[in-house]
Amino acid sequence: MRDLQRVAGNRAVTALVQRGKLVRKGSGRPAGARQAVAGRKSPARVAAPVLSDSLLPAREEGYLGNFSRIRRWHVNPPQRGLIIQEVTRTFTVVYWQGDTWASISGNALDEYAKHKINATENRYWELWTVDPTGEVGDGGLDAFGLASVIPSAGLKARLRAGLKPRPEASSLQYTSCGSFVIRGRARFFPTPARLTPRALGFRRSGVSSSNGLPSRMDDPAAIPAAAPREAVTYTVTAHWTSAGEAESSWYSRVSGRRA
């Protein structure tokens, strides 16, 4: 009889468990209730903002190093913050001395060039602000470029730089040859509150090569943590020569790549 009662009791317990009505000791709720709570969906996590860029179709490729490439920044999903980009520029230039080619760089290269190329600004930082809607300041644009590396028409400036005057000021042949590499490495920094560029030591046109952007020559230290994403890197290289006789050979050969 006791065995029959035990069997009948076990069956009753099993039925209650299957119906989720058995109250666990000390829980105050059916056994199945804990599983229901544990199975609830957690709130959706907000995706981390991603910085990206797109290359505009407008471009320029002119004589002896001259070129232009323009990018547009995007932050998705939109979030307030800052885009900070480290820029490095490398000049490898030789100029014609009348009978041979010689290397030229830095201040001497600036003296040599007719147009402003800022040959001493080889590493600096630029900044763009981003509002909560994702709109990027300064038009959201980033321009890479270089003016033609041709000699200055001013004889005094050339002599002051220790350079020989050109026999034919109207000709680009036998002036300069070389390459120019500019590389940008940018990251997005979310900021919960509005943070001004000046608070981080950036000044508008602080660096001549920044084309009027908030910029600085030294590495910014007091910046917030970057978003957990890879940096956006873009490199443009321009090669040129004036040794060829054909005018078509004087044009810059330009290539760009994303790392």
Side-chain angles (χ1 to χ4, degrees):
M1 180 63 70
R2 289 180 179 175
D3 291 340
L4 291 175
Q5 290 175 346
R6 186 179 298 112
V7 171
N10 290 341
R11 289 176 179 173
V13 170
T14 301
L16 288 172
V17 171
Q18 291 175 347
R19 290 198 300 270
K21 293 182 178 180
L22 181 64
V23 177
R24 294 189 180 181
K25 184 177 180 180
S27 69
R29 63 172 179 264
R34 185 185 301 273
Q35 296 177 355
V37 171
R40 286 179 187 170
K41 294 183 178 179
S42 13
R45 303 180 78 181
V46 178
V50 177
L51 175 65
S52 61
D53 66 338
S54 57
L55 190 64
L56 272 60
R59 60 182 61 190
E60 177 183 341
E61 294 180 7
Y63 289 123
L64 306 187
N66 174 236
F67 78 91
S68 175
R69 293 290 187 274
I70 302 176
R71 300 184 295 162
R72 185 180 299 279
W73 292 119
H74 310 278
V75 177
N76 189 48
Q79 185 171 340
R80 184 196 300 275
L82 304 169
I83 298 170
I84 297 179
Q85 176 170 247
E86 178 187 5
V87 179
T88 55
R89 304 165 79 231
T90 304
F91 292 88
T92 306
V93 182
V94 296
Y95 75 103
W96 183 248
Q97 288 189 313
D99 53 2
T100 186
W101 296 95
S103 298
I104 187 170
S105 61
N107 289 321
L109 181 54
D110 276 334
E111 288 281 357
Y112 171 87
K114 178 180 180 180
H115 306 290
K116 190 173 184 179
I117 60 176
N118 307 310
T120 61
E121 295 180 347
N122 297 318
R123 188 186 185 203
Y124 55 90
W125 283 260
E126 301 171 329
L127 181 148
W128 291 260
T129 58
V130 184
D131 72 12
T133 69
E135 183 175 352
V136 183
D138 290 284
L141 300 178
D142 178 30
F144 282 9
L146 182 69
S148 297
V149 185
I150 59 177
S152 170
L155 178 59
K156 290 183 179 179
R158 289 176 51 75
L159 293 177
R160 188 166 59 248
L163 309 177
K164 298 177 181 179
R166 287 185 301 142
E168 298 179 10
S170 61
S171 174
L172 297 180
Q173 188 178 15
Y174 288 102
T175 52
S176 75
C177 302
S179 67
F180 171 72
V181 181
I182 180 169
R183 180 176 185 261
R185 183 177 176 81
R187 289 183 181 274
F188 176 71
F189 296 83
T191 56
R194 184 174 178 271
L195 191 61
T196 65
R198 185 173 290 272
L200 296 177
F202 286 83
R203 302 289 184 271
R204 190 163 292 279
S205 299
V207 179
S208 298
S209 301
S210 68
N211 298 312
L213 289 169
S215 51
R216 56 185 288 173
M217 289 294 294
D218 54 330
D219 191 351
I223 55 177
R229 297 287 178 176
E230 292 295 325
V232 175
T233 303
Y234 184 58
T235 304
V236 183
T237 303
H239 295 274
W240 70 91
T241 180
S242 63
E245 294 184 3
E247 183 176 339
S248 59
S249 69
W250 303 340
Y251 277 90
S252 306
R253 304 184 308 279
V254 182
S255 62
R257 64 179 178 84
R258 289 178 173 84

